[in-house]
Amino acid sequence: MTASSSGKGNVCVCDVAARDGLQSEKRIWSVNERVELINRLANTGIQRIEAVSFVNPKRVPQMADAEKVMAQIERKADVRIAGLALNMKGVERALDAGVDEVRYVVVASETFSQKNQGASIAETMTGLESIAGRVKASGKVFSAVIGASFGCPFEGEVTTSAVVDIGIRLGALGVDEILLADTIGCAVPSQVRERVGALQSALEDSTAVGCHFHNTRNTGIANAVAAVESGVRILDASVGGIGGCPFAPRATGNISTEDLVYVLRNMGYETDIDLPQLINVAAWVEGYFDDPLPGQVMKAGLFPDDVIARQAATSVQA
Ligand code: ZN
């Protein structure tokens, strides 16, 4: 079924729909609905899920009850469950709730840091040493997301050196993975290649670089391909392409997981994901929305699979 089987290796896809996808939805998903979404995703063979966010429920009511969600989901040995935290309190909650990976967010621009974290860049970086020590002592994976890595909704341009400087400081603290997040979906592929390359050459090999793209300006999949071709092997996406950011004006959804997996599969990369099953999850998610979701493969179908299936059906009839 695979269009290309040149075996280009594994790309780890992390579905963030249960967190980034739902955090700015008008209709607040119940704990049971969030648990079912995570369980359905886990059954597709996906390697990672960003399941919850340990933020103040007064600021982001959609993400309340993270502990209840964590307690109810089915855990699988080969699915890493990540939880997002913005401060030490969130990190402690994440560890108590049993996440496999703590994702800590820093932001590359000062104004967005104030709006998103309620703290300056300096403040988030100051607390980071003790947070890194706490997570590393727990034996869990510690990753850091650099928000607004390609542009800020308030300040505009964010320079490569600003992002690399933060990356170097994170790397020095022993962060396992650094994700460049295009929070407002403004990046283009040439910028991705340049920024990923600069960060990779500034970091030790022990710190992996990942990317998190939003499709706000329809550049998300092109950016993901540029990232993979630059050596990135960790990519975030959200099933159906749902999502946004409550603190970034006009932010829209992540690239859709099934569109990303389709591109990767047909380019010859492995993701371990059962793509038809993932499309079924996207269709299930769509049932909770009034409008069609942004994902396109869920509408168009797989290629060449659908063609092969149609040919088989025709030949049976003949
Ligand atoms: Zn995001």
Side-chain angles (χ1 to χ4, degrees), residues 65-87:
D65 297 320
E67 284 81 359
K68 287 186 190 159
V69 172
M70 286 298 300
Q72 290 179 36
I73 56 174
E74 291 159 22
R75 299 299 286 268
K76 290 172 174 276
D78 48 358
V79 181
R80 188 200 281 182
I81 299 292
L84 201 75
L86 304 180
N87 50 38

Side-chain angles (χ1 to χ4, degrees), residues 2-306:
T2 306
S4 162
S5 53
S6 52
K8 290 186 181 154
N10 195 287
V11 175
C12 181
V13 173
C14 177
D15 194 287
V16 299
R19 200 278 304 171
D20 214 358
L22 298 182
Q23 69 175 5
S24 50
E25 271 312 305
K26 279 199 288 293
R27 187 185 79 84
I28 296 181
W29 281 46
S30 70
V31 167
N32 284 347
E33 289 165 351
R34 288 155 68 193
V35 167
E36 185 167 1
L37 169 60
I38 295 160
N39 287 345
R40 282 173 181 263
L41 287 168
N43 283 326
T44 66
I46 199 163
Q47 297 168 44
R48 294 191 199 179
I49 298 172
E50 190 181 284
V52 283
S53 172
F54 297 90
V55 291
N56 185 341
K58 290 197 185 99
R59 293 192 80 215
V60 190
Q62 290 89 340
M63 292 291 101
D65 297 320
E67 284 81 359
K68 287 186 190 159
V69 172
M70 286 298 300
Q72 290 179 36
I73 56 174
E74 291 159 22
R75 299 299 286 268
K76 290 172 174 276
D78 48 358
V79 181
R80 188 200 281 182
I81 299 292
L84 201 75
L86 304 180
N87 50 38
M88 182 60 113
K89 189 178 173 207
V91 169
E92 294 288 0
R93 285 179 62 198
L95 293 173
D96 286 347
V99 301
D100 302 310
E101 171 186 345
V102 176
R103 284 187 157 191
Y104 189 78
V105 182
V106 298
V107 176
S109 93
E110 195 57 54
T111 313
F112 192 50
S113 183
Q114 300 279 359
K115 301 233 185 210
N116 196 65
Q117 337 277 93
S120 69
I121 296 175
E123 281 163 350
T124 50
M125 294 301 289
T126 306
L128 207 52
E129 201 166 332
S130 44
I131 285 169
R134 178 73 187 88
V135 180
K136 295 206 85 71
S138 76
K140 304 298 182 190
V141 176
F142 186 39
S143 55
V145 180
I146 307 180
S149 275
F150 297 90
C152 167
F154 307 102
E155 294 178 21
E157 203 183 337
V158 170
T159 63
T160 297
S161 65
V163 174
V164 171
D165 284 352
I166 293 175
I168 290 171
R169 290 162 73 186
L170 293 168
L173 292 171
V175 168
D176 298 298
E177 296 173 2
I178 297 175
L179 285 113
L180 298 182
D182 185 15
T183 312
I184 57 166
C186 62
V188 294
S190 50
Q191 202 181 13
V192 172
R193 278 187 211 100
E194 188 245 351
R195 222 151 267 209
V196 164
L199 185 59
Q200 281 168 334
S201 31
L203 293 173
E204 304 286 334
D205 289 345
S206 54
T207 310
V209 175
C211 287
H212 173 110
F213 294 115
H214 284 255
N215 199 34
T216 317
R217 291 170 179 79
N218 213 20
T219 57
I221 291 287
N223 289 337
V225 170
V228 167
E229 292 186 335
S230 305
V232 166
R233 291 295 176 269
I234 304 161
L235 287 171
D236 283 359
S238 101
V239 69
I242 61 171
C245 173
F247 306 110
R250 296 189 303 278
T252 59
N254 300 81
I255 55 173
S256 107
T257 311
E258 64 280 5
D259 290 6
L260 174 66
V261 172
Y262 171 79
V263 169
L264 292 173
R265 182 195 73 159
N266 283 24
M267 286 177 75
Y269 294 97
E270 289 297 328
T271 62
D272 299 344
I273 293 172
D274 180 328
L275 190 45
Q277 206 171 332
L278 182 63
I279 292 171
N280 288 342
V281 180
W284 175 81
V285 171
E286 193 170 56
Y288 287 88
F289 287 78
D290 295 332
D291 297 313
L293 299 185
Q296 291 184 240
V297 169
M298 66 186 289
K299 302 177 187 105
L302 296 174
F303 182 90
D305 320 43
D306 287 8

